[in-house]
């Protein structure tokens, strides 16, 4: 049951990522078609490349600033790692370093796809399935 929900969420995330990728490609084609008649094919390709580079440069900066705006001083204090759980630390990592967290998630997904036994082991550990259920 838990694995089914996990796979449904992963499928939804993959569909969202695919839709975003299709949208980016379509926007690139639309921009190319818009400027091609004015500056030619080579110039239009250059404009698309420049816009893509600017978006790739500005978007992470905006996300970083948004994630760090409005924080209080008490939130910047070093937390006690012994008191935090693994999920709290993972959530902090995603908030503070979204690009690194995305890269780690892609790497973990690749490892889990290549090794189903490891996926089963991790799912069993996370759900507590290996515990003795006798009382």
């Amino acid at each position: 049951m838990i694995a089914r929900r996990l796979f449904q969420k992963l499928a939804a995330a993959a569909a969202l990522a695919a839709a975003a990728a299709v949208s980016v490609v379509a926007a690139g084609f639309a921009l190319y078609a818009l400027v091609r008649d004015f500056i030619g094919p080579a110039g239009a390709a250059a404009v698309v490349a420049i816009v893509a580079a600017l978006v790739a440069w500005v978007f992470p900066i905006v996300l970083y600033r948004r994630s760090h705006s409005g924080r209080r001083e008490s939130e910047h204090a070093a937390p006690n790692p012994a008191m935090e759980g693994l999920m709290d630390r993972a959530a902090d990592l995603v908030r503070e370093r979204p690009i690194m967290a995305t890269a780690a998630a892609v790497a973990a997904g690749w490892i889990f796809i290549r090794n189903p036994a490891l996926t089963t082991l991790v799912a069993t550990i996370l759900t507590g399935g290996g515990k003795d259920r006798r009382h």
Side-chain angles (χ1 to χ4, degrees):
M1 179 95 152
I2 292 175
R4 183 177 181 200
R5 272 193 265 149
L6 176 66
F7 287 125
Q8 286 175 341
K9 288 181 181 182
L10 287 174
L16 183 63
V22 168
S23 298
V24 168
V25 170
F29 277 124
L31 179 62
Y32 177 83
L34 181 69
V35 297
R36 180 186 59 209
D37 294 335
F38 298 108
I39 59 176
V47 168
V48 171
I50 290 170
V51 169
L54 285 174
V55 169
W57 183 65
V58 171
F59 187 67
I61 292 172
V62 170
L63 288 179
Y64 177 78
R65 288 182 186 238
R66 182 181 291 174
S67 70
H68 289 310
S69 67
R71 287 192 173 198
R72 294 184 295 256
E73 274 304 311
S74 63
E75 292 177 354
H76 290 291
N80 184 357
M83 300 302 286
E84 286 189 323
L86 179 62
M87 295 306 287
D88 291 334
R89 291 187 357 223
D92 288 341
L93 174 71
V94 170
R95 267 188 244 112
E96 293 174 7
R97 302 184 194 282
I99 295 173
M100 188 173 87
T102 302
V106 168
W110 180 255
I111 291 169
F112 287 145
I113 286 172
R114 302 290 291 166
N115 191 348
L118 180 63
T119 305
T120 305
L121 176 67
V122 170
T124 303
I125 290 171
L126 291 177
T127 60
K131 293 180 182 175
D132 188 12
R133 303 266 181 199
R134 287 183 258 157
H135 294 286

